Structures are given as structure tokens and as C-alpha cells.
Amino acid sequence: MITSLEFTPSTELLTFMKLNNLKTLAELLTISDEDLLKMHGFGYRILKEILQLRKI
């Protein structure tokens, strides 16, 4: 299992965050699934990474 210290966001996730003016991973994790679906650049790989982060 990956811990929060071992997690490194992918380039794709960092680009998604930049496109949507999200400054931190904590800010990203507060967004509901419904709102994430409406955001520019959201896709399966982003969802997979966010779900992995929520487990940590």
C-alpha cells in the first residue's frame, strides 16, 4: 500500500490541476465526483489516481 509520503502525482494529474486552478492535492480531494466529471481534462486516468489518493 502506498503512503501519502510515497505518492507522486502524475504529469497528467498535475496538468489537470493546473488547467482547473487547483493549487493542492487537498483542494482536489474536496471536490465531489459529480463536479470532477464536469471539469476540463477529466478522464479515467485522473479518476483512477484520485481514487488511489482518497485511500491514503
Side-chain angles (χ1 to χ4, degrees):
M1 182 174 179
I2 296 175
T3 65
S4 58
L5 295 176
E6 296 171 339
F7 180 81
T8 304
S10 68
T11 305
E12 189 173 18
L13 181 60
L14 293 173
T15 302
F16 172 77
M17 290 175 64
K18 188 174 184 177
L19 283 172
N20 292 287
N21 298 319
L22 301 170
K23 309 240 182 304
T24 64
L25 291 174
E27 184 180 0
L28 173 66
L29 295 175
T30 62
I31 301 171
S32 70
D33 294 341
E34 293 82 14
D35 290 334
L36 284 171
L37 288 170
K38 299 173 192 172
M39 295 175 84
H40 181 68
F42 187 77
Y44 172 74
R45 289 186 293 252
I46 300 294
L47 173 63
K48 186 176 175 184
E49 201 163 350
I50 291 171
L51 291 174
Q52 183 181 23
L53 266 173
R54 287 180 179 168
K55 288 182 183 179
I56 296 175

